[in-house]
Amino acid sequence: MGKVYYVSKNVGLALLVLAAIALATIVALSIAYHKERAKNRSRPGDGGPDSTSMPTPSTTPLTSKDPWDHYRLPQSLVPVSYNVTLWPRLEPNADDLYIFTGHSAVVFRCVKETDLIIIHSRRLNLTGNHAKLRCLGAVTAPAILKSWFVVKTEFLVLQLRSRLAVGATCALHTEFQGELADDLEGFYRSEYVEDGVKKVVATSQMQATYARKTFPCFDEPAMKAVFNVTIIHSRGTVALSNGREIDAADSVIDGVPVKITTFEPTERMSSYLLAFIVSDFVSIQSNQNNKLLIRIWARMKAIGERQGDYALNVTGPILQFYERYYNATYPLSKSDQIALPDFNAGAMENWGLVTYRETALLYDPVMSSTGNKERVTTVIAHELAHMWFGNLVTLRWWNDLWLNEGFASYVEYLGADHAEPTWNMKDQIILNEVHNVFAVDALASSHPLTRREEEVNDPAQISEMFNTISYSKGAAVVRMLSEFLTEPVFARGLSSYLNTFAFSNTVYTDLWDHLQRAVENTPGIHIPHTVHDIMNRWTLQMGFPVVTIDTRTGSVTQRHFLLDSDSVVERPSQFNYTWFVPIKWMKTGVEQQQYWLLQKTDTNSLMRVSGHDWVLANTNVSGYFRVNYDLDNWGRLVSLLNSNHQALSIINRAQIIDDAFNLARAKIISTTLALTTTKYLSKERDYIPWESALRNLNYYILMFDRTEVYGALQAYLRKQIQPLFEHFKSITADWTKVPTGHTDQYNQINAIGIACSMGVGSCRELIKSWYRQWMANPSHNPIHPNLKSTVYCSAIAFGGAEEWDFAWTMFKNATLASEASRLRSAMACTKKPWLLNRYLEYTLDPTKIRKQDATSTIQTISGNVVGMPLAWNFIRAKWSYIFHQYGRGSFSFSNLVGGITRRFSTEFELQELKKFKEDNLRVGFGSATLVLEQAIEKTTANIKWVTENKAHVLQWLTDEST
Ligand SMILES: *[C@@H]1O[C@H](CO)[C@@H](O)[C@H](O)[C@H]1NC(C)=O
Ligand SMILES: *[C@@H]1O[C@H](CO)[C@@H](O)[C@H](O)[C@H]1NC(C)=O
Ligand SMILES: *[C@@H]1O[C@H](CO)[C@@H](O)[C@H](O)[C@H]1NC(C)=O
Ligand SMILES: *[C@@H]1O[C@H](CO)[C@@H](O)[C@H](O)[C@H]1NC(C)=O
Ligand SMILES: [Zn+2]
């Protein structure tokens, strides 16, 4: 899956101007709760003519030893292929229920003698002849004695009269009916309004465990099979699935005129990658080498406005890039990508039919910002990377999810860089993934990337794997691996892995084996231990080290980096929290040979320097660790920044700032030393260092924007940002042109946003006049798309009800999802409590705010210093309701508590948080459980930090801003 929330490019800014669009820390995905609501029992029915009789499914008492009580399938039957026919009804039936009907046949082989057929099925009602078993060849199918559903483990169980022998191949036929609910799981319904008309789309999301909600299937990733899909749908709609459509015929069933679309058989694949969609969408297409059909699907209006063109433009080049990179051709005959109005994840890599949120696929050349465009590119690059890594070769079980997602989250930057070579994508991974996940992985409550297979069983445990550690730390350690092996060796090992295991399953050590072989076959490459041994330290223990280099003695040491130095690590590690650390470094500007730190302490005499010489370690931020130095070397690095910052690469400038601030948080260096790394920013023009500084200063804003320190902080930042603001004013000819550089466009947004919120004279007037012009002539928006988020937010913050209501009207009329999303965030920027409270109420009314956006809107409101206490009261008052409405399907749910509590820094707030936990134990927290624990941990740390630092920070800021 793709990441759910767009980590906004200008995260630092977002908070500074109270927009708080970004969910910078925890990009947790579906961590849904799977409490079965409806008991799912089939009605009694007649046995079919030649069917084995099928008595009423009955409840069977659960004794813990029965095979159907285990969440994992018994390894007795393996599927070979399926026929699946589905007929979704896009109109409600007489009971006002949206349903789909279907039938399916699964051919399976018996590999261990058994008299039970255990197959996944969730909330499906069997209909008609229920289930029939036929065996192929000379084998006679045993009669089905009885059948029943096991709700807890989501199985349909058939008890056979006699045992199936090893080698028997049989086909199980079922007929069923399910609800086409609007629950965003399995085969579901999505509704949207176009030109005042309500439209219904049937679409699907199978990952991780929802295929079983669509038809009875062996729903585990290793149970790969061929799927022959047929979809029955109304004439005038289009049906799509993983394979290319091979036939579409008009027919009449039960008096209903329909179209029957059949698809080519899929390749051998996992059930979680299936997709079925019926809509009235249209597409644009291109044929790559006249062979591969590439299509982009969306609402007719969106395609008409050419919003799919950019996606179509980049898909071909990205696929070609991966074909070369993986040294493996694209395995399918077509590549469909579709933008859905209602979709929980950011995107989903269904093989051959990738689904996206509209904001992740559609780009409007006139209305969209550079950030929107970059998001489209990176999400496409992420999903297409999975077509090989994940889809062609699939990890055997969900415990290895991190490798699938981490890998895709790393190579998406390579794919995007290929599509847009001028964008510095390979540098941006530092901000978006590495620095982002450092924040989470530095907590004592973090967890290792890898879990043992036995630890991940039920759907809730599986969903929990989709978190920021899997995605971003996965990306960071895969990148580190590629850096120390070198990219060509890495790509060779990867290609051999993919070609060896095509259409089958692996465990992560299979990849290490192939990389190790690539190392051994490459003369001149030397690593101090095997890939396996090196990587185990990064994947089997949580966290990462801080490496301390004392340039006076050359001593190099490592220790587990914890943001809160008082926190206690309860999780044991077989490696005692030491790592094999590959350190790239430079001395006074000269790149040195890579050095491996293999023990807790070591000495590297080359790192002993004096005079004006300096050491900088982790160049290119190629390793997943932080670096600390003796104070002399820190001093030399800071003065280098002040005298000649361009002597260091852009990402190393960002890294010095980020390391310093976090080391200070952990009390390893002083807060004032960290602040000193921002003094050179008045000369900095590049985006990545600025963004890094602003994200770190966010913490100061959050801790102090309700205290007297805020005035001094504003004065200091005003002084630092003024030159950047003037710089952009001048290179854009008084704000009339767009900067040419991709990241310069981002930094222009920072310049305006911070200048405005820190009170730079001309900024506020500029913003107000733009917004006023727009209000005067709503059909002509004079604000450049790049600047819209910032300008909307600032204008609404400076304004009142009139500005807010105008934004609301524009939000309701927005035809472009990204425009709607900008306005939705900006409306959270008002400083008027009554407007904020009204907006909070709107979030629970699906006619006002879409269900998929409810929790993220509440969170955005809490990013506003005025909105925070209102949002906190709001969710406390309505927790039970919010939890039941949004706790299951909503991906952003777990971020809600984390977002709201970010400013918490007083004893009183800590008590409130603990009380909230106690009061709602009965209701539960679902996917927010872990985040709630983290919030308590973070609040405790904040209280300490504020107590210790407030006076120093105020003093330093006061000195520096005068
Ligand atoms: C699906 O189609 C393939 C290819 O035509 C065929 O070999 C297979 O038997 C079919 N599956 C079923 C369940 O009939
Ligand atoms: C699957 O469908 C095909 C085409 O309709 C049919 O020939 C085949 O017998 C079906 N397979 C099974 C196992 O029912
Ligand atoms: C399945 O059966 C149950 C119990 O009869 C019923 O309440 C439910 O509506 C049925 N679902 C569908 C989709 O037909
Ligand atoms: C897509 O590519 C065409 C041809 O190169 C180009 O004219 C067009 O501007 C591109 N569209 C977008 C949205 O980038
Ligand atoms: Zn993914």
Side-chain angles (χ1 to χ4, degrees):
M1 251 185 284
K3 273 165 284 188
V4 177
Y5 274 99
Y6 170 32
V7 179
S8 155
K9 292 298 124 191
N10 299 72
V11 177
L13 166 74
L15 266 165
L16 286 159
V17 298
L18 310 180
I21 312 159
L23 309 176
T25 41
I26 298 163
V27 189
L29 296 191
S30 160
I31 308 178
Y33 240 35
H34 302 256
K35 282 191 199 128
E36 198 65 34
R37 282 178 189 164
K39 285 267 167 12
N40 198 358
R41 297 275 148 67
S42 162
R43 301 264 124 215
D46 313 314
D50 63 340
S51 80
T52 49
S53 88
M54 174 79 181
T56 311
S58 58
T59 324
T60 297
L62 298 182
T63 58
S64 64
K65 293 215 182 73
D66 290 322
W68 52 82
D69 295 330
H70 298 278
Y71 284 98
R72 296 294 299 274
L73 288 164
Q75 302 293 313
S76 41
L77 306 175
V78 292
V80 178
S81 75
Y82 294 78
N83 278 359
V84 190
T85 300
L86 295 169
W87 183 7
R89 310 295 153 72
L90 303 186
E91 305 276 347
N93 65 13
D95 300 332
D96 214 24
L97 198 63
Y98 286 85
I99 60 151
F100 62 91
T101 53
H103 55 91
S104 139
V106 51
V107 174
F108 58 83
R109 226 177 40 247
C110 177
V111 294
K112 216 170 74 194
E113 205 178 63
T114 181
D115 59 357
L116 288 171
I117 296 175
I118 298 184
I119 188 166
H120 283 107
S121 174
R122 178 175 169 219
R123 298 175 69 185
L124 291 172
N125 292 348
L126 294 184
T127 57
N129 291 328
H130 293 316
K132 286 188 280 191
L133 188 66
R134 280 210 198 96
C135 292
L136 310 184
V139 182
T140 324
I144 299 173
L145 283 183
K146 61 173 181 167
S147 70
W148 65 96
F149 289 104
V150 185
V151 170
K152 180 161 167 262
T153 48
E154 308 184 338
F155 285 129
L156 166 63
V157 186
L158 308 174
Q159 173 75 57
L160 306 180
R161 177 166 292 149
S162 59
R163 289 172 166 264
L164 286 171
V166 171
T169 299
C170 303
L172 176 72
H173 296 254
T174 49
E175 277 181 54
F176 47 86
Q177 174 166 327
E179 189 187 346
L180 196 67
D182 60 351
D183 57 0
L184 309 147
E185 296 172 353
F187 202 23
Y188 71 92
R189 124 183 147 260
S190 162
E191 296 176 0
Y192 65 97
V193 176
E194 197 167 58
D195 294 330
V197 180
K198 185 176 110 173
K199 302 264 185 101
V200 177
V201 173
T203 180
S204 66
Q205 166 67 34
M206 304 307 188
Q207 197 184 31
T209 56
Y210 304 132
R212 62 190 67 170
K213 197 165 160 279
T214 309
F215 63 103
C217 55
F218 296 94
D219 197 12
E220 291 190 358
M223 293 288 175
K224 289 195 172 184
V226 170
F227 295 84
N228 305 316
V229 177
T230 304
I231 297 181
I232 302 170
H233 53 110
S234 36
R235 297 179 190 171
T237 59
V238 186
L240 295 172
S241 187
N242 304 77
R244 207 162 168 163
E245 49 280 16
I246 47 178
D247 187 44
D250 285 348
S251 180
V252 175
I253 302 179
D254 301 337
V256 185
V258 293
K259 187 170 232 161
I260 301 179
T261 302
T262 45
F263 300 88
E264 65 181 347
T266 66
E267 296 291 347
R268 242 176 79 76
M269 63 181 282
S270 307
S271 49
Y272 82 88
L273 293 168
L274 287 167
F276 312 110
I277 301 177
V278 174
S279 70
D280 65 354
F281 287 8
V282 296
S283 68
I284 45 173
Q285 69 179 63
S286 74
N287 277 67
Q288 191 189 348
N289 317 324
N290 299 319
K291 191 177 119 239
L292 177 63
L293 173 67
I294 299 174
R295 292 183 297 196
I296 306 293
W297 294 85
R299 289 178 290 109
M300 189 184 302
K301 208 166 169 173
I303 292 295
E305 288 169 1
R306 312 199 65 111
Q307 294 177 20
D309 290 14
Y310 180 69
L312 187 65
N313 279 5
V314 294
T315 297
I318 291 174
L319 285 175
Q320 281 164 0
F321 169 77
Y322 288 138
E323 289 189 320
R324 277 200 305 278
Y325 180 72
Y326 292 132
N327 189 23
T329 49
Y330 179 73
L332 310 178
S333 65
K334 63 107 169 161
S335 161
D336 277 327
Q337 298 179 90
I338 185 165
L340 294 162
D342 224 5
F343 190 64
N344 238 345
M348 175 63 210
E349 70 266 21
N350 314 303
W351 215 8
L353 176 52
V354 185
T355 45
Y356 294 83
R357 273 192 175 206
E358 290 198 339
T359 47
L361 190 67
L362 302 182
Y363 168 77
D364 183 319
V366 181
M367 299 284 286
S368 302
S369 70
T370 303
N372 298 142
K373 191 173 190 176
E374 185 186 301
R375 187 187 183 208
V376 169
T377 321
T378 53
V379 179
I380 291 177
H382 179 102
E383 303 310 327
L384 296 182
H386 279 309
M387 298 299 116
W388 289 262
F389 203 101
N391 299 8
L392 179 63
V393 178
T394 310
L395 288 152
R396 186 174 72 200
W397 185 245
W398 300 110
N399 63 310
D400 280 341
L401 181 87
W402 75 269
L403 184 55
N404 189 21
E405 291 306 346
F407 185 88
S409 301
Y410 166 57
V411 297
E412 72 179 69
Y413 288 89
L414 311 186
D417 180 65
H418 177 78
E420 297 287 358
T422 63
W423 284 5
N424 279 1
M425 288 313 301
K426 289 182 181 170
D427 282 354
Q428 289 201 58
I429 191 172
I430 304 307
L431 280 177
N432 302 348
E433 316 295 334
V434 183
H435 287 175
N436 191 35
V437 72
F438 268 161
V440 181
D441 204 20
L443 302 178
S445 58
S446 186
H447 61 82
L449 278 170
T450 297
R451 295 221 175 147
R452 281 179 300 121
E453 187 165 342
E454 315 80 79
E455 289 174 339
V456 181
N457 287 303
D458 65 51
Q461 289 164 338
I462 293 167
S463 296
E464 265 178 33
M465 301 303 295
F466 291 84
N467 59 41
T468 199
I469 295 282
S470 294
Y471 281 77
S472 297
K473 181 175 181 176
V477 303
V478 169
R479 178 172 176 274
M480 174 169 72
L481 171 61
S482 162
E483 290 269 342
F484 74 70
L485 293 180
T486 72
E487 191 67 29
V489 174
F490 180 75
R492 259 203 303 286
L494 185 61
S495 160
S496 122
Y497 165 86
L498 290 171
N499 288 300
T500 305
F501 297 106
F503 306 107
S504 65
N505 295 79
T506 56
V507 290
Y508 73 96
T509 49
D510 292 323
L511 178 59
W512 297 170
D513 289 346
H514 282 258
L515 291 170
Q516 181 63 32
R517 233 170 283 161
V519 170
E520 284 159 11
N521 294 336
T522 310
I525 284 282
H526 173 76
I527 52 175
H529 291 279
T530 61
V531 169
H532 202 101
D533 288 343
I534 295 168
M535 292 310 287
N536 274 350
R537 308 238 162 181
W538 299 95
T539 62
L540 301 183
Q541 57 185 351
M542 68 176 186
F544 56 89
V546 48
V547 170
T548 301
I549 296 170
D550 189 332
T551 61
R552 295 163 307 183
T553 61
S555 97
V556 189
T557 57
Q558 59 168 301
R559 76 173 187 202
H560 182 190
F561 180 78
L562 290 166
L563 199 53
D564 175 3
S565 52
D566 298 337
S567 57
V568 179
V569 175
E570 276 158 11
R571 190 187 288 274
S573 159
Q574 61 188 110
F575 306 112
N576 286 316
Y577 293 103
T578 59
W579 288 264
F580 295 147
V581 192
I583 304 179
K584 299 196 171 167
W585 64 290
M586 61 164 60
K587 191 194 288 193
T588 324
V590 182
E591 200 75 44
Q592 308 287 310
Q593 202 189 348
Q594 171 166 284
Y595 159 73
W596 281 88
L597 178 60
L598 303 172
Q599 295 96 33
K600 227 175 168 79
T601 62
D602 192 17
T603 305
N604 180 345
S605 55
L606 296 173
M607 290 184 176
R608 194 165 55 220
V609 298
S610 57
H612 290 295
D613 282 345
W614 47 268
V615 166
L616 179 84
N618 203 11
T619 52
N620 208 24
V621 198
S622 53
Y624 183 66
F625 57 92
R626 294 199 180 279
V627 191
N628 181 30
Y629 308 93
D630 56 290
L631 284 179
D632 292 347
N633 197 61
W634 270 118
R636 292 189 292 261
L637 289 175
V638 168
S639 47
L640 180 67
L641 283 177
N642 283 320
S643 60
N644 178 17
H645 64 273
Q646 285 174 340
L648 298 174
S649 73
I650 290 174
I651 48 181
N652 279 126
R653 271 138 53 196
Q655 177 223 5
I656 288 173
I657 295 169
D658 196 64
D659 279 349
F661 272 88
N662 284 281
L663 292 168
R665 285 280 293 281
K667 292 196 260 188
I668 294 171
I669 64 170
S670 71
T671 301
T672 47
L673 173 54
L675 284 168
T676 311
T677 63
T678 66
K679 279 181 69 174
Y680 93 99
L681 286 175
S682 53
K683 288 182 233 146
E684 180 62 85
R685 299 290 174 262
D686 271 299
Y687 163 70
I688 294 178
W690 258 111
E691 182 67 17
S692 176
L694 293 172
R695 288 186 191 184
N696 282 297
L697 288 165
N698 263 346
Y699 185 68
Y700 289 65
I701 309 263
L702 289 171
M703 292 303 106
F704 295 131
D705 66 0
R706 297 175 293 169
T707 75
E708 73 271 24
V709 180
Y710 194 56
L713 186 53
Q714 267 193 319
Y716 175 65
L717 279 175
R718 189 159 59 232
K719 183 175 142 200
Q720 297 300 82
I721 201 74
Q722 184 94 38
L724 193 70
F725 184 75
E726 298 302 335
H727 165 75
F728 279 107
K729 184 169 193 262
S730 122
I731 70 165
T732 60
D734 227 351
W735 315 109
T736 58
K737 287 199 285 213
V738 180
T740 38
H742 179 72
T743 52
D744 287 342
Q745 297 183 25
Y746 292 151
N747 216 23
Q748 181 195 17
I749 304 168
N750 278 338
I752 294 183
I754 295 146
C756 265
S757 58
M758 296 303 139
V760 168
S762 50
C763 192
R764 190 175 285 220
E765 287 318 309
L766 182 69
I767 298 273
K768 277 181 161 171
S769 84
W770 280 340
Y771 197 78
R772 252 189 255 118
Q773 282 175 47
W774 186 32
M775 283 175 72
N777 186 358
S779 60
H780 181 79
N781 187 340
I783 306 158
H784 188 274
N786 283 348
L787 303 179
K788 281 177 175 175
S789 289
T790 313
V791 172
Y792 295 173
C793 176
S794 301
I796 289 169
F798 301 148
E802 210 187 325
E803 284 77 9
W804 201 97
D805 290 340
F806 176 74
W808 179 256
T809 310
M810 300 320 282
F811 169 70
K812 289 316 264 182
N813 294 340
T815 51
L816 184 70
S818 55
E819 176 72 359
S821 139
R822 285 195 276 262
L823 286 159
R824 190 165 56 81
S825 297
M827 286 183 285
C829 297
T830 177
K831 305 252 174 73
K832 305 265 186 290
W834 72 272
L835 286 174
L836 289 165
N837 273 328
R838 187 178 68 176
Y839 196 26
L840 282 167
E841 295 293 338
Y842 285 5
T843 61
L844 299 188
D845 178 351
T847 64
K848 292 199 160 68
I849 298 289
R850 277 181 168 288
K851 215 171 156 181
Q852 65 174 13
D853 296 326
T855 50
S856 72
T857 305
I858 300 172
Q859 196 190 331
T860 310
I861 293 170
S862 76
N864 176 339
V865 63
V866 183
M868 189 276 281
L870 307 178
W872 176 227
N873 288 340
F874 184 78
I875 68 149
R876 278 188 296 174
K878 297 177 200 282
W879 183 252
S880 169
Y881 179 78
I882 292 174
F883 179 70
H884 288 116
Q885 285 292 311
Y886 306 100
R888 278 171 52 85
S890 179
F891 288 91
S892 58
F893 184 71
S894 64
N895 295 323
L896 186 59
V897 172
I900 291 183
T901 57
R902 283 217 284 192
R903 275 190 180 79
F904 281 18
S905 52
T906 64
E907 196 55 47
F908 179 67
E909 284 161 337
L910 180 64
Q911 294 316 320
E912 280 191 329
L913 193 53
K914 288 182 173 166
K915 185 158 185 311
F916 170 68
K917 183 181 160 189
E918 250 163 56
D919 291 351
N920 292 289
L921 280 177
R922 285 243 317 280
V923 179
F925 302 96
S927 59
T929 309
L930 180 61
V931 180
L932 183 61
E933 289 307 317
Q934 289 174 348
I936 291 174
E937 189 180 337
K938 282 183 188 172
T939 304
T940 310
N942 290 345
I943 295 170
K944 268 187 291 185
W945 189 85
V946 169
T947 313
E948 285 160 18
N949 290 287
K950 196 171 166 186
H952 304 296
V953 172
L954 180 58
Q955 187 61 51
W956 191 90
L957 289 170
T958 311
D959 293 347
E960 291 299 328
S961 53
T962 46

